[in-house]
Amino acid sequence: MDVGFIGLGAMGRPMAVNLAKAGHRVIAWNRSSVEAPEGVELVDSAAAVGDQASVAFVRVSAADAVEEVVFGERGWASGAKPGSVLIQSSTIGPTATERLSARVEAAGFRFLDAPVSGSVKPAENAQLVILGGGDPALFDRYQGLFDPISKRAVVFGPVGSGSTAKLGVNSFLVSVIAAASESISWLSERDPDLDIATFASVIERISPLAVGRAESIAGDAPAGGFSLRQAAKDMELVGEEFGSTDVMNAVMSLTRAGLELGYGELDVSCLGSVVREKS
């Protein structure tokens, strides 16, 4: 199948490559200049993606970027044929997703709300989880595109449901890492010789999320992964969509502090360093 892909960033690039490896012809465009990923054909605009493929994924940074690549000058909609399908995989929240869907459908196209759960390594290993919202029959029709990039696709309900679930998943993840950062911080302060690996083995049943990042929470977080900048953006979206709560406000405050300290491009496990700096 001819498949379009708009956005070849840290997540989009391996997703596009896996689609190509599965035998699909992948036609892609990125807003900035990039080298063509393995097996992927680059074109000169989002409009060209729409012209050459009847179904296209869009995976970019934020709601305004999605609007630009879909409906801006030489955007996807200007080249797509009537009935073409847009699979929106960016994390932009349910309000922006529902607004975009209405505009796409009004223009004569079809729309699927399909953000993903997982970071770069799961994307490379085709182990993402598709968090779906939209027509179940349309999801079934394109299951062959989800299989090469994910281990599971779950349809939660109508358009917007997938994006709501995505914020729920990410807010849970960031909150767990924030709580683990505080716990490990005060444990290490009380016991400077604390064996982090041993502690991680004790909490393995409680939180695999924390175990997987325990060493970098206690030490220096690597660059990449699920970056603090992405986590902070998602926490702000949670506040905008669902209002203020004590827990989420506390986590949001911690992610903001990390950005102020210049940790934006580090993995979210850098919240351990943020907690220590604040202390």
Side-chain angles (χ1 to χ4, degrees), residues 213 216 219-232 258-259 261-271 273-274:
R213 286 180 162 89
S216 54
D220 296 322
F226 180 37
S227 74
L228 180 65
R229 190 172 307 284
Q230 294 169 304
L259 293 181
L261 289 168
Y263 295 156
E265 306 315 315
L266 300 181
D267 181 78
V268 69
S269 55
C270 71
L271 289 179
S273 296
V274 177

Side-chain angles (χ1 to χ4, degrees), residues 124-226:
E124 292 172 347
N125 295 333
Q127 291 294 296
L128 299 169
V129 176
I130 308 295
L131 306 174
D135 181 357
L138 200 57
F139 270 101
D140 287 345
R141 178 179 169 187
Y142 290 103
Q143 186 62 46
L145 298 183
F146 297 131
D147 288 341
I149 63 175
S150 69
K151 61 180 180 180
R152 187 182 181 198
V154 182
V155 181
F156 286 89
V159 166
S161 301
S163 289
T164 299
K166 170 64 172 178
L167 291 186
V169 168
N170 280 15
S171 63
F172 179 85
L173 185 156
V174 181
S175 298
V176 168
I177 300 303
S181 296
E182 291 204 347
S183 297
I184 290 173
S185 178
W186 57 256
L187 283 169
S188 298
E189 185 177 345
R190 184 176 180 85
D191 180 6
D193 297 322
L194 177 71
D195 186 330
I196 297 299
T198 299
F199 176 70
S201 70
V202 172
I203 64 170
E204 185 173 13
R205 180 181 62 83
I206 301 170
S207 179
L209 272 174
V211 169
R213 286 180 162 89
E215 294 285 353
S216 54
I217 288 171
D220 296 322
F226 180 37

Side-chain angles (χ1 to χ4, degrees), residues 25-40:
R25 177 186 174 227
V26 181
I27 304 101
W29 177 75
N30 195 62
R31 289 183 294 166
S32 59
S33 179
V34 294
E35 291 187 10
E38 180 185 357
V40 175

